[in-house]
Structures are given as C-alpha cells and as structure tokens.
Amino acid sequence: MGREEVQKNLDMLGFGFSEIVETIITSQNLKGQPNAAPMGITRIGPRTIEVKPFLDTTTYTNLRETHKGVANITYDVNLFLESAFKDERAKAEWLEKGEDFPYLKEADALLYFTVLGETKVSESQACLLCQVEAIKVLRPFPRVFSRGFASTIEAIIHATRIEAFMKEGKRNEVEKCLQKFRACKEVVE
C-alpha cells in the first residue's frame, strides 16, 4: 500500500490530526504469543501515529521488542471489554493471525504499523512514534454512533487507568477516574 493510499484511507476512516481515537492494539512477543489491549492512538502526521502505553504492560513490551503492531478499529464494545479485562483462555476465540501479526476477527478495519521511536511521557508511560504501513478495511458498512457506546468505552478507559495510578500511589488520580467512571455508568444505565 502506497503512502498516498494510506493517508487517504486514514482520512476516510475519520482520523483527524491530534485527535485521540480509541482502538484495540494487537501485538505479539518474540515467541509469537498474542496480546490485545484497548489503547488510544493519535494521528500526528499523514501516516504517523502516537501510541502511549504504560511501561509495565504487555503491549509496551511487545511493541518495543518487535517494533510492530495492529490498531484494530471496532464499534464492538464487547471487544473493548474482553481485551481490557481479558481471560487468557478466550484469546484464541477472538484473535486471528494474518500478515504475520495477530488481529481481532471481529474488527472493522486494521492499521498495520511499525514503531519508529520512543520517548517518555512520564515515569510510567512511553510515547511510541509509529508509521502506518497498511490499512485493511474488513467491514466497510457504516455504523451509527451511540452515546452509550462512547460512555462504555470511556468507562473502560478510566477503569484500566485506576490500577496503574494505584501502583504509583496517585490517590487523587484514582479518585478522579472513579468519579469519571461513575458518570459514564449513569449514561449507560
């Protein structure tokens, strides 16, 4: 896939510059063991994205070791939930290996990327500069946007940050995440 085609497809998928888009990153370690985790990515150039994993995560380790990953685009809230709070036995059911890298079987689109470099965001988080190499659209039919969907995704994001902030002893951040989680829960219910 050429540079212009990747750029055009990112535009068509709705990737605005400097906007955080929620995806599920699939990666694998050097032994080929797959992992999936919800993660926001930000487009910062025509084909360039930033991924900001926490340093103690499997996603960070895998991307650092292999320099490759797949950003899975989906509107399926269950995929976000399953990948955030994964049951290791369930992985085989929702992951498939293609192009030598794992992806979610139920994804709507796939962004294959290469890690170009790394900087630190904080003591516990990195910023990985990545280049989108190819895009594969699996389900081109558009879907409507739901406030419940957005709030569920937002709640999952806050829930996954609580553990990291607790490890760092950031009680104020934990409380802020809990408040945001509760607000999201009210929208969904």
mmCIF file with all atom_site columns, all heavy atoms in Angstrom, residues 103-120:
data_model
loop_
_atom_site.group_PDB
_atom_site.id
_atom_site.type_symbol
_atom_site.label_atom_id
_atom_site.label_alt_id
_atom_site.label_comp_id
_atom_site.label_asym_id
_atom_site.label_entity_id
_atom_site.label_seq_id
_atom_site.pdbx_PDB_ins_code
_atom_site.Cartn_x
_atom_site.Cartn_y
_atom_site.Cartn_z
_atom_site.occupancy
_atom_site.B_iso_or_equiv
_atom_site.pdbx_formal_charge
_atom_site.auth_seq_id
_atom_site.auth_comp_id
_atom_site.auth_asym_id
_atom_site.auth_atom_id
_atom_site.pdbx_PDB_model_num
ATOM 1   N N   . TYR A 1 103 ? -4.659  -10.123 14.817 1.00 0.00 ? 103 TYR A N   1
ATOM 2   C CA  . TYR A 1 103 ? -5.665  -9.077  14.768 1.00 0.00 ? 103 TYR A CA  1
ATOM 3   C C   . TYR A 1 103 ? -6.973  -9.655  15.294 1.00 0.00 ? 103 TYR A C   1
ATOM 4   O O   . TYR A 1 103 ? -7.108  -10.866 15.461 1.00 0.00 ? 103 TYR A O   1
ATOM 5   C CB  . TYR A 1 103 ? -5.833  -8.502  13.355 1.00 0.00 ? 103 TYR A CB  1
ATOM 6   C CG  . TYR A 1 103 ? -6.392  -9.458  12.336 1.00 0.00 ? 103 TYR A CG  1
ATOM 7   C CD1 . TYR A 1 103 ? -7.765  -9.558  12.123 1.00 0.00 ? 103 TYR A CD1 1
ATOM 8   C CD2 . TYR A 1 103 ? -5.564  -10.272 11.569 1.00 0.00 ? 103 TYR A CD2 1
ATOM 9   C CE1 . TYR A 1 103 ? -8.291  -10.431 11.181 1.00 0.00 ? 103 TYR A CE1 1
ATOM 10  C CE2 . TYR A 1 103 ? -6.078  -11.145 10.630 1.00 0.00 ? 103 TYR A CE2 1
ATOM 11  C CZ  . TYR A 1 103 ? -7.435  -11.217 10.442 1.00 0.00 ? 103 TYR A CZ  1
ATOM 12  O OH  . TYR A 1 103 ? -7.963  -12.088 9.514  1.00 0.00 ? 103 TYR A OH  1
ATOM 13  N N   . LEU A 1 104 ? -7.917  -8.780  15.581 1.00 0.00 ? 104 LEU A N   1
ATOM 14  C CA  . LEU A 1 104 ? -9.211  -9.222  16.090 1.00 0.00 ? 104 LEU A CA  1
ATOM 15  C C   . LEU A 1 104 ? -10.100 -9.669  14.934 1.00 0.00 ? 104 LEU A C   1
ATOM 16  O O   . LEU A 1 104 ? -10.302 -8.916  13.983 1.00 0.00 ? 104 LEU A O   1
ATOM 17  C CB  . LEU A 1 104 ? -9.895  -8.094  16.857 1.00 0.00 ? 104 LEU A CB  1
ATOM 18  C CG  . LEU A 1 104 ? -9.173  -7.635  18.114 1.00 0.00 ? 104 LEU A CG  1
ATOM 19  C CD1 . LEU A 1 104 ? -9.841  -6.394  18.682 1.00 0.00 ? 104 LEU A CD1 1
ATOM 20  C CD2 . LEU A 1 104 ? -9.125  -8.735  19.152 1.00 0.00 ? 104 LEU A CD2 1
ATOM 21  N N   . LYS A 1 105 ? -10.645 -10.853 15.027 1.00 0.00 ? 105 LYS A N   1
ATOM 22  C CA  . LYS A 1 105 ? -11.508 -11.395 13.978 1.00 0.00 ? 105 LYS A CA  1
ATOM 23  C C   . LYS A 1 105 ? -12.690 -10.487 13.677 1.00 0.00 ? 105 LYS A C   1
ATOM 24  O O   . LYS A 1 105 ? -13.132 -10.395 12.542 1.00 0.00 ? 105 LYS A O   1
ATOM 25  C CB  . LYS A 1 105 ? -12.053 -12.773 14.383 1.00 0.00 ? 105 LYS A CB  1
ATOM 26  C CG  . LYS A 1 105 ? -11.044 -13.866 14.464 1.00 0.00 ? 105 LYS A CG  1
ATOM 27  C CD  . LYS A 1 105 ? -11.711 -15.145 14.944 1.00 0.00 ? 105 LYS A CD  1
ATOM 28  C CE  . LYS A 1 105 ? -10.722 -16.264 15.130 1.00 0.00 ? 105 LYS A CE  1
ATOM 29  N NZ  . LYS A 1 105 ? -11.351 -17.491 15.636 1.00 0.00 ? 105 LYS A NZ  1
ATOM 30  N N   . GLU A 1 106 ? -13.217 -9.830  14.685 1.00 0.00 ? 106 GLU A N   1
ATOM 31  C CA  . GLU A 1 106 ? -14.418 -9.004  14.527 1.00 0.00 ? 106 GLU A CA  1
ATOM 32  C C   . GLU A 1 106 ? -14.128 -7.530  14.296 1.00 0.00 ? 106 GLU A C   1
ATOM 33  O O   . GLU A 1 106 ? -15.043 -6.705  14.361 1.00 0.00 ? 106 GLU A O   1
ATOM 34  C CB  . GLU A 1 106 ? -15.319 -9.180  15.752 1.00 0.00 ? 106 GLU A CB  1
ATOM 35  C CG  . GLU A 1 106 ? -15.818 -10.602 15.941 1.00 0.00 ? 106 GLU A CG  1
ATOM 36  C CD  . GLU A 1 106 ? -16.633 -11.104 14.760 1.00 0.00 ? 106 GLU A CD  1
ATOM 37  O OE1 . GLU A 1 106 ? -17.472 -10.340 14.237 1.00 0.00 ? 106 GLU A OE1 1
ATOM 38  O OE2 . GLU A 1 106 ? -16.433 -12.259 14.358 1.00 0.00 ? 106 GLU A OE2 1
ATOM 39  N N   . ALA A 1 107 ? -12.878 -7.173  14.028 1.00 0.00 ? 107 ALA A N   1
ATOM 40  C CA  . ALA A 1 107 ? -12.535 -5.769  13.784 1.00 0.00 ? 107 ALA A CA  1
ATOM 41  C C   . ALA A 1 107 ? -13.180 -5.277  12.493 1.00 0.00 ? 107 ALA A C   1
ATOM 42  O O   . ALA A 1 107 ? -13.439 -6.051  11.572 1.00 0.00 ? 107 ALA A O   1
ATOM 43  C CB  . ALA A 1 107 ? -11.027 -5.597  13.700 1.00 0.00 ? 107 ALA A CB  1
ATOM 44  N N   . ASP A 1 108 ? -13.439 -3.968  12.441 1.00 0.00 ? 108 ASP A N   1
ATOM 45  C CA  . ASP A 1 108 ? -13.984 -3.351  11.231 1.00 0.00 ? 108 ASP A CA  1
ATOM 46  C C   . ASP A 1 108 ? -12.878 -2.956  10.263 1.00 0.00 ? 108 ASP A C   1
ATOM 47  O O   . ASP A 1 108 ? -13.065 -2.977  9.056  1.00 0.00 ? 108 ASP A O   1
ATOM 48  C CB  . ASP A 1 108 ? -14.812 -2.116  11.601 1.00 0.00 ? 108 ASP A CB  1
ATOM 49  C CG  . ASP A 1 108 ? -16.015 -2.472  12.469 1.00 0.00 ? 108 ASP A CG  1
ATOM 50  O OD1 . ASP A 1 108 ? -16.657 -3.508  12.199 1.00 0.00 ? 108 ASP A OD1 1
ATOM 51  O OD2 . ASP A 1 108 ? -16.309 -1.719  13.413 1.00 0.00 ? 108 ASP A OD2 1
ATOM 52  N N   . ALA A 1 109 ? -11.732 -2.566  10.810 1.00 0.00 ? 109 ALA A N   1
ATOM 53  C CA  . ALA A 1 109 ? -10.580 -2.179  9.985  1.00 0.00 ? 109 ALA A CA  1
ATOM 54  C C   . ALA A 1 109 ? -9.305  -2.420  10.782 1.00 0.00 ? 109 ALA A C   1
ATOM 55  O O   . ALA A 1 109 ? -9.323  -2.446  12.019 1.00 0.00 ? 109 ALA A O   1
ATOM 56  C CB  . ALA A 1 109 ? -10.674 -0.710  9.568  1.00 0.00 ? 109 ALA A CB  1
ATOM 57  N N   . LEU A 1 110 ? -8.195  -2.595  10.068 1.00 0.00 ? 110 LEU A N   1
ATOM 58  C CA  . LEU A 1 110 ? -6.896  -2.867  10.683 1.00 0.00 ? 110 LEU A CA  1
ATOM 59  C C   . LEU A 1 110 ? -5.870  -1.862  10.179 1.00 0.00 ? 110 LEU A C   1
ATOM 60  O O   . LEU A 1 110 ? -5.779  -1.617  8.979  1.00 0.00 ? 110 LEU A O   1
ATOM 61  C CB  . LEU A 1 110 ? -6.412  -4.278  10.321 1.00 0.00 ? 110 LEU A CB  1
ATOM 62  C CG  . LEU A 1 110 ? -7.391  -5.434  10.528 1.00 0.00 ? 110 LEU A CG  1
ATOM 63  C CD1 . LEU A 1 110 ? -6.826  -6.712  9.923  1.00 0.00 ? 110 LEU A CD1 1
ATOM 64  C CD2 . LEU A 1 110 ? -7.694  -5.616  12.005 1.00 0.00 ? 110 LEU A CD2 1
ATOM 65  N N   . LEU A 1 111 ? -5.093  -1.303  11.106 1.00 0.00 ? 111 LEU A N   1
ATOM 66  C CA  . LEU A 1 111 ? -3.981  -0.419  10.757 1.00 0.00 ? 111 LEU A CA  1
ATOM 67  C C   . LEU A 1 111 ? -2.696  -1.133  11.166 1.00 0.00 ? 111 LEU A C   1
ATOM 68  O O   . LEU A 1 111 ? -2.431  -1.297  12.362 1.00 0.00 ? 111 LEU A O   1
ATOM 69  C CB  . LEU A 1 111 ? -4.059  0.911   11.517 1.00 0.00 ? 111 LEU A CB  1
ATOM 70  C CG  . LEU A 1 111 ? -4.952  2.012   10.980 1.00 0.00 ? 111 LEU A CG  1
ATOM 71  C CD1 . LEU A 1 111 ? -6.397  1.594   10.956 1.00 0.00 ? 111 LEU A CD1 1
ATOM 72  C CD2 . LEU A 1 111 ? -4.765  3.258   11.792 1.00 0.00 ? 111 LEU A CD2 1
ATOM 73  N N   . TYR A 1 112 ? -1.933  -1.584  10.184 1.00 0.00 ? 112 TYR A N   1
ATOM 74  C CA  . TYR A 1 112 ? -0.657  -2.232  10.464 1.00 0.00 ? 112 TYR A CA  1
ATOM 75  C C   . TYR A 1 112 ? 0.397   -1.141  10.607 1.00 0.00 ? 112 TYR A C   1
ATOM 76  O O   . TYR A 1 112 ? 0.552   -0.308  9.720  1.00 0.00 ? 112 TYR A O   1
ATOM 77  C CB  . TYR A 1 112 ? -0.278  -3.181  9.319  1.00 0.00 ? 112 TYR A CB  1
ATOM 78  C CG  . TYR A 1 112 ? -1.187  -4.384  9.215  1.00 0.00 ? 112 TYR A CG  1
ATOM 79  C CD1 . TYR A 1 112 ? -2.339  -4.340  8.439  1.00 0.00 ? 112 TYR A CD1 1
ATOM 80  C CD2 . TYR A 1 112 ? -0.896  -5.550  9.911  1.00 0.00 ? 112 TYR A CD2 1
ATOM 81  C CE1 . TYR A 1 112 ? -3.189  -5.440  8.352  1.00 0.00 ? 112 TYR A CE1 1
ATOM 82  C CE2 . TYR A 1 112 ? -1.740  -6.652  9.825  1.00 0.00 ? 112 TYR A CE2 1
ATOM 83  C CZ  . TYR A 1 112 ? -2.875  -6.582  9.043  1.00 0.00 ? 112 TYR A CZ  1
ATOM 84  O OH  . TYR A 1 112 ? -3.708  -7.668  8.965  1.00 0.00 ? 112 TYR A OH  1
ATOM 85  N N   . PHE A 1 113 ? 1.116   -1.140  11.752 1.00 0.00 ? 113 PHE A N   1
ATOM 86  C CA  . PHE A 1 113 ? 2.089   -0.082  11.973 1.00 0.00 ? 113 PHE A CA  1
ATOM 87  C C   . PHE A 1 113 ? 3.439   -0.611  12.440 1.00 0.00 ? 113 PHE A C   1
ATOM 88  O O   . PHE A 1 113 ? 3.549   -1.723  12.944 1.00 0.00 ? 113 PHE A O   1
ATOM 89  C CB  . PHE A 1 113 ? 1.551   0.964   12.957 1.00 0.00 ? 113 PHE A CB  1
ATOM 90  C CG  . PHE A 1 113 ? 1.300   0.456   14.353 1.00 0.00 ? 113 PHE A CG  1
ATOM 91  C CD1 . PHE A 1 113 ? 2.315   0.428   15.305 1.00 0.00 ? 113 PHE A CD1 1
ATOM 92  C CD2 . PHE A 1 113 ? 0.037   0.024   14.722 1.00 0.00 ? 113 PHE A CD2 1
ATOM 93  C CE1 . PHE A 1 113 ? 2.078   -0.028  16.588 1.00 0.00 ? 113 PHE A CE1 1
ATOM 94  C CE2 . PHE A 1 113 ? -0.217  -0.434  16.013 1.00 0.00 ? 113 PHE A CE2 1
ATOM 95  C CZ  . PHE A 1 113 ? 0.815   -0.458  16.952 1.00 0.00 ? 113 PHE A CZ  1
ATOM 96  N N   . THR A 1 114 ? 4.455   0.233   12.236 1.00 0.00 ? 114 THR A N   1
ATOM 97  C CA  . THR A 1 114 ? 5.822   -0.036  12.665 1.00 0.00 ? 114 THR A CA  1
ATOM 98  C C   . THR A 1 114 ? 6.231   1.038   13.655 1.00 0.00 ? 114 THR A C   1
ATOM 99  O O   . THR A 1 114 ? 5.971   2.220   13.432 1.00 0.00 ? 114 THR A O   1
ATOM 100 C CB  . THR A 1 114 ? 6.783   -0.003  11.455 1.00 0.00 ? 114 THR A CB  1
ATOM 101 O OG1 . THR A 1 114 ? 6.347   -0.967  10.496 1.00 0.00 ? 114 THR A OG1 1
ATOM 102 C CG2 . THR A 1 114 ? 8.203   -0.317  11.868 1.00 0.00 ? 114 THR A CG2 1
ATOM 103 N N   . VAL A 1 115 ? 6.897   0.632   14.730 1.00 0.00 ? 115 VAL A N   1
ATOM 104 C CA  . VAL A 1 115 ? 7.388   1.582   15.723 1.00 0.00 ? 115 VAL A CA  1
ATOM 105 C C   . VAL A 1 115 ? 8.694   2.188   15.220 1.00 0.00 ? 115 VAL A C   1
ATOM 106 O O   . VAL A 1 115 ? 9.636   1.468   14.893 1.00 0.00 ? 115 VAL A O   1
ATOM 107 C CB  . VAL A 1 115 ? 7.604   0.906   17.099 1.00 0.00 ? 115 VAL A CB  1
ATOM 108 C CG1 . VAL A 1 115 ? 8.180   1.891   18.107 1.00 0.00 ? 115 VAL A CG1 1
ATOM 109 C CG2 . VAL A 1 115 ? 6.306   0.297   17.610 1.00 0.00 ? 115 VAL A CG2 1
ATOM 110 N N   . LEU A 1 116 ? 8.730   3.522   15.160 1.00 0.00 ? 116 LEU A N   1
ATOM 111 C CA  . LEU A 1 116 ? 9.914   4.237   14.674 1.00 0.00 ? 116 LEU A CA  1
ATOM 112 C C   . LEU A 1 116 ? 10.812  4.727   15.797 1.00 0.00 ? 116 LEU A C   1
ATOM 113 O O   . LEU A 1 116 ? 12.026  4.828   15.626 1.00 0.00 ? 116 LEU A O   1
ATOM 114 C CB  . LEU A 1 116 ? 9.488   5.441   13.825 1.00 0.00 ? 116 LEU A CB  1
ATOM 115 C CG  . LEU A 1 116 ? 8.595   5.164   12.617 1.00 0.00 ? 116 LEU A CG  1
ATOM 116 C CD1 . LEU A 1 116 ? 8.146   6.475   11.980 1.00 0.00 ? 116 LEU A CD1 1
ATOM 117 C CD2 . LEU A 1 116 ? 9.328   4.292   11.612 1.00 0.00 ? 116 LEU A CD2 1
ATOM 118 N N   . GLY A 1 117 ? 10.214  5.093   16.927 1.00 0.00 ? 117 GLY A N   1
ATOM 119 C CA  . GLY A 1 117 ? 10.995  5.633   18.030 1.00 0.00 ? 117 GLY A CA  1
ATOM 120 C C   . GLY A 1 117 ? 10.175  5.728   19.291 1.00 0.00 ? 117 GLY A C   1
ATOM 121 O O   . GLY A 1 117 ? 8.968   5.468   19.299 1.00 0.00 ? 117 GLY A O   1
ATOM 122 N N   . GLU A 1 118 ? 10.858  6.115   20.382 1.00 0.00 ? 118 GLU A N   1
ATOM 123 C CA  . GLU A 1 118 ? 10.209  6.152   21.693 1.00 0.00 ? 118 GLU A CA  1
ATOM 124 C C   . GLU A 1 118 ? 10.720  7.321   22.517 1.00 0.00 ? 118 GLU A C   1
ATOM 125 O O   . GLU A 1 118 ? 11.906  7.637   22.495 1.00 0.00 ? 118 GLU A O   1
ATOM 126 C CB  . GLU A 1 118 ? 10.517  4.845   22.437 1.00 0.00 ? 118 GLU A CB  1
ATOM 127 C CG  . GLU A 1 118 ? 10.036  4.797   23.841 1.00 0.00 ? 118 GLU A CG  1
ATOM 128 C CD  . GLU A 1 118 ? 10.418  3.509   24.563 1.00 0.00 ? 118 GLU A CD  1
ATOM 129 O OE1 . GLU A 1 118 ? 10.896  2.559   23.925 1.00 0.00 ? 118 GLU A OE1 1
ATOM 130 O OE2 . GLU A 1 118 ? 10.235  3.468   25.783 1.00 0.00 ? 118 GLU A OE2 1
ATOM 131 N N   . THR A 1 119 ? 9.794   7.956   23.220 1.00 0.00 ? 119 THR A N   1
ATOM 132 C CA  . THR A 1 119 ? 10.132  8.959   24.228 1.00 0.00 ? 119 THR A CA  1
ATOM 133 C C   . THR A 1 119 ? 9.315   8.628   25.475 1.00 0.00 ? 119 THR A C   1
ATOM 134 O O   . THR A 1 119 ? 8.409   7.804   25.419 1.00 0.00 ? 119 THR A O   1
ATOM 135 C CB  . THR A 1 119 ? 9.808   10.400  23.764 1.00 0.00 ? 119 THR A CB  1
ATOM 136 O OG1 . THR A 1 119 ? 8.414   10.479  23.439 1.00 0.00 ? 119 THR A OG1 1
ATOM 137 C CG2 . THR A 1 119 ? 10.643  10.801  22.558 1.00 0.00 ? 119 THR A CG2 1
ATOM 138 N N   . LYS A 1 120 ? 9.644   9.272   26.578 1.00 0.00 ? 120 LYS A N   1
ATOM 139 C CA  . LYS A 1 120 ? 8.910   9.055   27.830 1.00 0.00 ? 120 LYS A CA  1
ATOM 140 C C   . LYS A 1 120 ? 7.875   10.152  28.013 1.00 0.00 ? 120 LYS A C   1
ATOM 141 O O   . LYS A 1 120 ? 8.148   11.318  27.800 1.00 0.00 ? 120 LYS A O   1
ATOM 142 C CB  . LYS A 1 120 ? 9.857   9.072   29.016 1.00 0.00 ? 120 LYS A CB  1
ATOM 143 C CG  . LYS A 1 120 ? 10.815  7.913   29.048 1.00 0.00 ? 120 LYS A CG  1
ATOM 144 C CD  . LYS A 1 120 ? 10.343  6.871   29.995 1.00 0.00 ? 120 LYS A CD  1
ATOM 145 C CE  . LYS A 1 120 ? 11.322  5.711   29.919 1.00 0.00 ? 120 LYS A CE  1
ATOM 146 N NZ  . LYS A 1 120 ? 11.507  4.999   31.086 1.00 0.00 ? 120 LYS A NZ  1
#
